[in-house]
Amino acid sequence: MLLINCPYCGERPELEFVHGGQAHIARPGNPAECSDQQWADYLYRRDNIKGVHAERWRHTHGCGRFFNALRDTTSDLFLATYKVGERPPAQSQQKRATA
Amino acid sequence: MSQGLRTSSGGRINRARAVRFTFDGRELSGFEGDTLASALLANGVHLVGRSFKYHRPRGLLTAGAEEPNALVAIRRDAARVTPNLRATEVELYEGLEAHSQNRWPSLKFDAGAINSLLSPFIPAGFYYKTFMWPRRAWHRLYEPRIRAAAGLGLAPEHPDPDSYSNRFAHCDVLVVGAGPAGLAAAQTAAASGARVILCDEQPELGGSLLGEADPGASLGENGRDWLTGTIRALLANPRVTVLTRTTAFGYFPHNLIGLEQRLSEHLAQPDPRQPRERQWQVRARQVVLATGAIERPLVFPGNDRPGVMLAGAVRTYLNRYGVLAGRRAVLVTTHDEAYRSALDLRRAGAAVTIVDARESASGELAEVARTAGLTVHTGTTVIGTHGRLRVKSVRIQRLDAQGRAQGAPERIDCDLVLMSGGYTPSVHLFSQSRGKVAWSEALQAFLPGESPEKVRCAGACRGVFSAAAARRDGESAAALAARDCGHAVNIAIGEPQPVQGAGAAAPGDLPQPGGNPPAKAFVDWQNDVTSRDLLLAAREGFRSIEHVKRYTTTGMATDQGKTSNLNALAIVARQLGKSIPEVGLTTFRMPYTPVTFGSFAGYTRGELFDPIRTTPIHDWAARQGAVFEDVGLWKRARYFPRNGESMHAAVARECEAVRRGCGLFDASTLGKIEVVGKDAVTFMNRLYVNGWTNLAVGRCRYGILLRDDGFIYDDGVVARIAEDRFHVTTTTGGAARVLAMMEDFLQTEWPDLSVWLTSTSEQWSVIALQGPRARQVLEGLVEGVDLSSTALPHMGVAPGKICGVPMRLFRVSFTGELGFEINVPADYGLAVWEAIHAAGEPHGITPYGTESMHVLRAEKGFIIVGQDTDGTVTPDDAGLAWAIGKQKPDFVGKRALERPAMHSPERKQLVGLLTAQPHVVLMEGAQIVADARAIPPSRPIGHVTSSYYSATLGRSIALALVRAGRSRMGQTLYVPMPDGALAVQVTSPVFYDPKGSRLDA
Ligand SMILES: [Zn+2]
């Protein structure tokens, strides 16, 4: 069970959260101008990253807010969590200290 | 029964307290402090089980959690039978009843042992090769036979009467294992002020030290004082939680460790109010693993006979439990450390011969052994053992300079064989933390390397085998852990000690004459895998160790190969001509040892398994004898049978009441969301398909919500209560996900909109009053509302009061009749319901349930989202295209509806079906075909979504999704059933009052 740092509430166990899929996929501003392929990409195409992945979480059983997170899919460690509308923080290559 | 193998003194048992127990009905006696294994051994019982595949007689191999053979069932009563417990971990209590497993009819004579004679015909992959064909025979013949012959233990036949507890805990430093490294780590971390949890699977702290005759002596200077002082200090420290009988069974992300604490298993009379086990989920800022090492067996022919044991286990039985496992022993070893067992046995009065496969043995311990007069055969291998139910002799043979078995075999009579092939560090938990292990050529072991988690290893689990060095290693690891938690550490933080190799020896099997793979040289005791099986797998082309594992089943038993994995790996590597690290290690998975299912369920069983949601009117319905059904977590009244009516009769009566008089329905479970704010109408326009701008205050509209892929997600009536306020209703099951979707769009796509969303599902009780007499019933109860059709027409909404209670009155109908839905604050729901019911009695008011509601709405062709839709249905498919706001530039799902596939004339569309035989009710979910004579499998063109008997129409009705359904009106289609195809006619989905004239009847 992950320990997730809600930007509004602090660290809480994963069972208070719902995963919301890949982050930073904006709904096209004028859907009528999208081609069918562009709309299909928006609906269905997602990355499957081995490494640092930007994803959405919602603190459903807490403040109810959506937020974004950078998580390393190989270690499950979070590099950062940040609010909707904010840019993802620059990724530090520093590893978390473990002996 | 005398405890014939018990020594006259010594050990940690309480000789003043005899404990009686039974094994397969035989009455025996041990002492307080014994395990079942040590007590059996004290009574001379070496034969404790039969092996899984060949049913070979098996004895105790180990003295700990890694035991593969001595699996027993412990029975307290009919409901409390626990199978597959390791006798080496079962603490003895007065009256304990133990049963051996996997034997029939008895342990000493087991009919399944015929498999042993057949073993040349049961090679690796036997089941895969033999039972593949014909396929049909698998289910009828092979599988039942295999299941009857296989299996470990029997499940209890009654529900588990015990309770299990769950607990979350947080700490700075979690220390797993209370041997020398773990004790030192816990003490060092605690001294820094850190909050510490120390857990150990054994009932007593000390770990491997408990197997020493003088536990403190091996710890170096002041070892004895340090040991007693440390244990006392840890138990007295309020910042330290010491958990014995507690197994750390799993390592989960972000330093969450699962602990299983056994609370009552060791008690003769557990308090029935006490939980049997408690599962801890510990979130630790830092973890120190001091999980020790497991001694490796040697692989030689006949190494599985009862009386062939690990050298360290024999030593533990002697020193800890005062049991001398044999009087004439042979030690087979490939390293010095095992000589300690021989020396201890010798001191206890046994005769010991040492067979050492190394060319020479010149270490300090070997010299001590020679000086003590023990015979040491170096450069010698074991080529066989004898004895049916207990080992009687071993056969040895000299190895030449090239390590080949040569010369005349020699026989040594004995009643006990000790073996030791070195130690395997227990990296199970470390590996579960996604830690990488690295092969150490010097130690011939996989050692912990890097882990993404905040974890350190200390002591034997990282190759620091000697107790004194492990103690220092534990101190270093804990000091670093405490420092990383922000605690000041008072001791000088030494660099972690370099790993030490006492007892290091190469894994694999002992050389055999002619270099042939020997028969019956076991690698995996629990799954009966021999070295020959592994070689066969390699010869048959299996290259990956993961494949070899699955093909031979090595390491796949309940012990997960604790004693076998490294030997198996070495044998396969040699055959493939690769090094051990090249072949790689199989994955370690939780649980470390089996964990009771009940402890995962914890308190969430029976009534606490899931929450139950009930409406304020629930108890009234229950008193009326309603039959309830589960809808999500809700309990909903399905029908109200009178005088033993069948459901069919009750539903017919309830429907007739609604169509002719009036019916009363509890719709409180409907989801309700209040959408408020100056941008509320914009929000609704963007989200729902409908146009909302022109909806006047005081009016309602049937709303449809799509996903952005264009398919129906939810529906419900939406009322405009004020310019900036909508009362949105959702399906009963959809309330939470609709609100989540609304929040998602509001927070992430349209954060500029000024809108607030509030779930009001449980704030409003909703009472549906339906039928031509509904207005008459309501008239005397309401204040401030004109109920006439001109003032409150169909799809109107009005605030007011009923019985003095504030109300939102909806003029809506899910039945097709004149209808009202009375929304009152939930606290008044029951009172208002009862008042309406009383007022309606002169009009024959009839409560009805969800079953009648379904029939009534199906007669009108109203869909239920999730029943008549399945996530692939567009509004047009459902015949609801009229609801879409045509002028809107965008709404969720609009763009997807424009994709060509959404306009295909071949899409499934909602239609009605009438069976040729009016009394036949179709099965919901049944498939529909165009041609009755088509030979299955023929491609279905649709399926039945709703199907009922309509008493109003005197016949059955059904809704269905059918390809190009609306172009098939009047056509005859077929529903194939086991007894033949049923003919159905395609019709409009509206079966009753298609003009809607009854809304104002
Ligand atoms: Zn939060």
Side-chain angles (χ1 to χ4, degrees), chain B residues 408-440:
Chain B
E410 197 183 321
R411 193 173 108 161
I412 309 175
D413 290 334
C414 62
D415 60 2
L416 177 68
V417 175
L418 291 70
M419 59 180 168
S420 182
Y423 304 93
T424 307
S426 294
V427 296
H428 305 72
L429 284 176
F430 175 79
S431 185
Q432 285 181 33
S433 82
R434 303 200 201 184
K436 297 245 186 313
V437 295
W439 177 252
S440 161

Side-chain angles (χ1 to χ4, degrees), chain A residues 6 8-9 59 63:
Chain A
C6 170
Y8 304 92
C9 307
H59 193 188
C63 62

Side-chain angles (χ1 to χ4, degrees), chain A:
Chain A
M1 183 167 57
L2 308 179
L3 191 62
I4 301 175
N5 187 19
C6 170
Y8 304 92
C9 307
E11 288 193 324
R12 297 287 191 278
E14 184 185 346
L15 44 80
E16 294 185 9
F17 297 83
V18 172
H19 190 262
Q22 187 174 342
H24 305 299
I25 294 178
R27 192 169 186 271
N30 193 343
E33 287 172 10
C34 289
S35 68
D36 284 343
Q37 185 57 49
Q38 285 170 324
W39 193 253
D41 286 351
Y42 154 69
L43 285 179
Y44 302 118
R45 277 207 29 192
R46 297 296 182 268
D47 296 331
N48 185 14
I49 288 173
K50 183 178 182 182
V52 178
H53 181 58
E55 61 192 14
R56 298 167 0 118
W57 287 87
R58 184 178 180 216
H59 193 188
T60 309
H61 301 292
C63 62
R65 304 294 294 267
F66 282 84
F67 60 90
N68 295 323
L70 294 181
R71 181 174 58 94
D72 187 334
T73 59
T74 62
S75 66
D76 267 343
L77 293 184
F78 285 102
L79 283 73
T81 54
Y82 51 101
K83 295 176 181 176
V84 168
E86 292 177 356
R87 303 284 311 152
Q91 291 167 28
S92 117
Q93 292 303 308
Q94 236 178 342
K95 266 190 192 163
R96 295 230 180 157
T98 46

